[in-house]
């Protein structure tokens, strides 16, 4: 897929898409199939409320609270639900633990499956052909694109989200964070570290 | 279908380029196309597997040249047109010109958060037992349906190991055709990188897919 923010994109084609979307929304509203206020709320929800801060809170809690961590690896959907995150594109979640021995990375080679309740909507690169084609065959090359180099003997496990199971990577907790609060720990958790294309920030 | 969506293992797309501080949407039309797609699921009456098939079912060159929300929007238009919910002349004119079809339910603002929070779980009760157990060696079947399937080409014909019996889930290959949910046992199947990619594969790599029982045979 092309990134639509590419500047070499045909401008007239973009304008045509804009007009077509507006036209369809008008038609659907006139027919009574959609309520524009519901559309506004859907957009507001994913633009301001559901995003990777949710996942960061899950990860920080797993780092700080051993009982929560145990529940998360046993039944992530339920443990994540304890924090109020659930539903669409996160109906069945599995948490994956990154360790020095194994690094997990998540992809959807067939479309754009992504754990919305904890990470929000996927970034363009996650849905793009370069990531979807190479994550399963050359994950170290992909990691290099993200300036991440893993030790040569670290095993790499790639999870292709081909069904309705959504995967959340729990990155390794950075050293030097003993005794930190969950709030402070959450600031170290990046979106990419929960996909497996990054690692947590160092304090 | 062996379409432009089945990208695992292809070459030539270049590096992954992440956009720093990427916004959730890049244009107003993306916001509206996203919301229209979600909101129309209810009155439209299609399921997620039909939506996925509507997105991938186009010439690969076209699929690869479109942005993701362009694909979503094109699929939304085609699903609505197929069901007679909207017509080309209406989209061209930007106004309703034919009587609306009766729809079961419209998404109201009061329902948005409830509907999102509920989602669409795909696990189903069953009185059957899974044919495979963790540790079993299985081969992903060589299949080439021209219709929707979730078994990517890069694992077909290859041998892996059942890592987890997930549960009994709606079978997309049936559901996408409107042939019912036909729930089937679903497994996480792990393949060695060398099994998939031969000597070109990273020796430290393993890859898993979640595969329904009809995709698998004992190896």
């Amino acid at each position: 897929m092309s990134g639509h923010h590419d500047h070499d994109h045909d401008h007239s084609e973009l304008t045509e898409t804009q007009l077509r979307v507006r036209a369809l929304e008008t038609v659907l509203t006139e027919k009574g199939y959609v309520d524009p206020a519901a559309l506004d709320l859907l957009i507001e929800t994913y633009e301001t409320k559901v995003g990777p801060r949710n996942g960061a809170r899950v990860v920080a809690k797993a780092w700080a609270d051993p009982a929560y961590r145990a529940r998360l690896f046993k039944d992530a959907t339920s443990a994540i639900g304890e924090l109020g995150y659930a539903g669409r594109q996160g109906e069945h979640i599995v948490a994956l633990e990154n360790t020095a021995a194994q690094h997990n990375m998540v992809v959807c080679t067939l479309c754009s499956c992504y754990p919305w309740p904890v990470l929000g909507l996927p970034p363009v690169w996650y849905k793009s052909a370069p990531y979807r084609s190479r994550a399963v065959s050359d994950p170290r090359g992909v990691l290099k694109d993200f300036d991440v180099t893993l030790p040569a003997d670290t095993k790499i496990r790639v999870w292709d989200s081909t069904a309705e199971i959504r995967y959340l990577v729990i990155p390794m907790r950075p050293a030097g964070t003993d005794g930190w609060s969950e709030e402070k720990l959450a600031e170290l958790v990046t979106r990419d570290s929960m996909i497996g294309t990054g690692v947590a920030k160092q304090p | 279908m062996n379409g432009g969506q089945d990208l695992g293992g292809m070459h030539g797309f270049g590096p992954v380029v992440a956009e720093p501080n990427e916004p959730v949407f890049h244009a107003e039309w993306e916001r509206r196309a996203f919301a229209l797609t979600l909101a129309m699921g209810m009155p439209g009456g299609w399921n997620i597997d039909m939506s996925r098939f509507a997105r991938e079912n186009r010439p690969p060159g076209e699929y690869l040249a479109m942005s993701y929300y362009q694909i979503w929007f094109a699929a939304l238009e085609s699903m609505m047109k197929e069901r007679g919910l909207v017509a080309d002349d209406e989209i061209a004119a930007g106004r309703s010109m034919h009587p609306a079809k009766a729809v079961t339910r419209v998404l109201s603002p009061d329902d948005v958060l409830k509907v999102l929070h509920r989602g669409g779980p795909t696990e189903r009760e069953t009185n059957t037992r899974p044919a495979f157990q963790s540790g079993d060696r299985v081969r992903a079947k060589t299949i080439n349906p021209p219709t929707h399937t979730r078994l990517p080409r890069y694992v077909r014909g290859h041998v892996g190991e059942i890592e987890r019996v997930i549960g009994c889930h709606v079978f997309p290959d049936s559901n996408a055709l409107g042939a019912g949910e036909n729930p089937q046992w679903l497994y996480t199947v792990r393949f060695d990188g060398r099994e998939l990619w031969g000597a070109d594969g990273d020796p430290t790599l393993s890859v898993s897919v979640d595969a329904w029982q009809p995709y698998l045979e004992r190896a």
Side-chain angles (χ1 to χ4, degrees):
Chain A
M1 254 87 4
S2 64
H4 33 67
H5 51 286
D6 286 356
H7 296 296
D8 57 357
H9 200 286
D10 179 354
H11 193 70
S12 60
E13 190 191 316
L14 255 187
T15 308
E16 194 197 319
T17 305
Q18 279 164 6
L19 293 174
R20 226 176 148 80
V21 173
R22 196 175 304 158
L24 187 68
E25 182 175 341
T26 305
V27 175
L28 301 189
T29 306
E30 286 180 8
K31 286 183 181 289
Y33 299 154
V34 296
D35 179 338
L39 302 181
D40 294 341
L41 187 53
L42 284 165
I43 294 162
E44 188 196 320
T45 301
Y46 287 101
E47 213 160 26
T48 66
K49 297 198 172 62
V50 181
R53 290 302 90 206
N54 294 2
R57 218 182 127 206
V58 172
V59 171
K61 194 167 179 61
W63 284 347
D65 178 346
Y68 183 76
R69 174 198 169 79
R71 292 201 298 282
L72 182 69
F73 286 116
K74 189 158 178 276
D75 180 352
T77 315
S78 143
I80 288 167
E82 290 174 31
L83 303 185
Y85 313 136
R88 193 176 176 108
Q89 286 301 308
E91 293 90 348
H92 310 282
I93 304 182
V94 170
L96 307 170
E97 183 180 27
N98 275 359
T99 64
Q102 176 169 303
H103 181 90
N104 297 286
M105 187 192 288
V106 181
V107 64
C108 172
T109 61
L110 297 174
C111 54
S112 59
C113 298
Y114 192 72
W116 289 12
V118 278
L119 297 186
L121 300 180
V124 168
W125 64 258
Y126 182 86
K127 304 180 278 189
S128 73
Y131 185 67
R132 287 164 54 191
S133 61
R134 274 170 66 226
V136 290
S137 58
D138 179 24
R140 284 181 194 268
V142 168
L143 286 168
K144 203 170 286 172
D145 294 342
F146 286 87
D147 292 320
V148 174
T149 306
L150 297 176
D153 59 349
T154 298
K155 287 197 164 65
I156 302 192
R157 170 64 181 276
V158 177
W159 301 74
D160 192 354
S161 316
T162 52
E164 300 307 328
I165 314 306
R166 297 290 166 268
Y167 294 98
L168 177 71
V169 174
I170 309 302
M172 283 196 281
R173 178 174 178 163
T177 57
D178 288 355
W180 282 33
S181 68
E182 286 177 27
E183 290 70 25
K184 211 171 154 197
L185 286 169
E187 288 168 20
L188 301 177
V189 184
T190 64
R191 177 196 64 202
D192 293 357
S193 74
M194 294 181 278
I195 302 171
T197 55
V199 294
K201 288 188 226 168
Q202 297 304 311
Chain B
M1 71 176 288
N2 297 337
Q5 89 289 359
D6 187 0
L7 292 170
M10 284 183 76
H11 290 147
F13 291 114
V16 181
V17 182
E19 180 187 345
N21 304 312
E22 181 179 335
V24 176
F25 299 104
H26 290 80
E28 180 60 14
W29 74 264
E30 290 192 351
R31 289 186 182 89
R32 307 313 288 183
F34 166 78
L36 285 170
T37 299
L38 263 61
M40 275 311 297
M42 199 180 263
W46 47 76
N47 59 51
I48 191 166
D49 300 303
M50 292 172 182
S51 298
R52 290 202 180 113
F53 186 61
R55 287 170 198 156
E56 69 202 22
N57 188 19
R58 60 193 68 252
E62 200 178 280
Y63 181 93
L64 291 166
M66 293 164 88
S67 79
Y68 214 77
Y69 285 117
Q70 283 176 323
I71 293 172
W72 272 39
F73 185 68
L76 175 63
E77 279 190 331
S78 65
M79 288 190 294
M80 296 199 63
K81 283 192 262 181
E82 275 166 23
R83 287 161 182 78
L85 291 163
V86 69
D88 272 325
D89 57 353
E90 296 178 306
I91 299 173
R95 62 189 170 84
S96 176
M97 298 163 71
H98 313 289
K101 275 202 138 183
V103 292
T104 48
R105 229 176 120 198
V106 171
L107 182 65
S108 77
D110 288 345
D111 283 342
V112 166
L113 296 181
K114 258 181 287 177
V115 165
L116 293 178
H117 200 263
R118 190 169 60 228
T122 53
E123 187 165 18
R124 299 290 179 265
E125 302 227 335
T126 179
N127 50 19
T128 65
R129 304 201 46 85
F132 306 116
Q133 298 300 330
S134 296
D136 285 354
R137 304 282 292 167
V138 290
R139 184 184 302 277
K141 288 181 186 168
T142 296
I143 55 168
N144 287 281
T147 47
H148 186 64
T149 188
R150 298 289 289 181
L151 184 68
R153 269 177 286 186
Y154 74 90
V155 301
R156 295 179 195 167
H158 288 291
V159 173
E161 186 179 308
I162 300 281
E163 188 172 77
R164 185 165 84 94
V165 182
I166 297 171
C168 189
H169 282 250
V170 174
F171 188 45
D173 303 45
S174 304
N175 205 34
L177 296 172
E181 292 190 337
N182 185 23
Q184 300 287 334
W185 284 98
L186 179 67
Y187 307 87
T188 298
V189 185
R190 189 175 52 78
F191 298 88
D192 196 271
R194 287 290 171 98
E195 163 70 17
L196 297 176
W197 313 110
D200 295 317
D202 180 334
T204 63
L205 170 66
S206 61
V207 180
S208 62
V209 300
D210 293 332
W212 284 264
Q213 195 161 293
Y215 297 165
L216 304 171
E217 59 198 7
R218 199 168 287 278

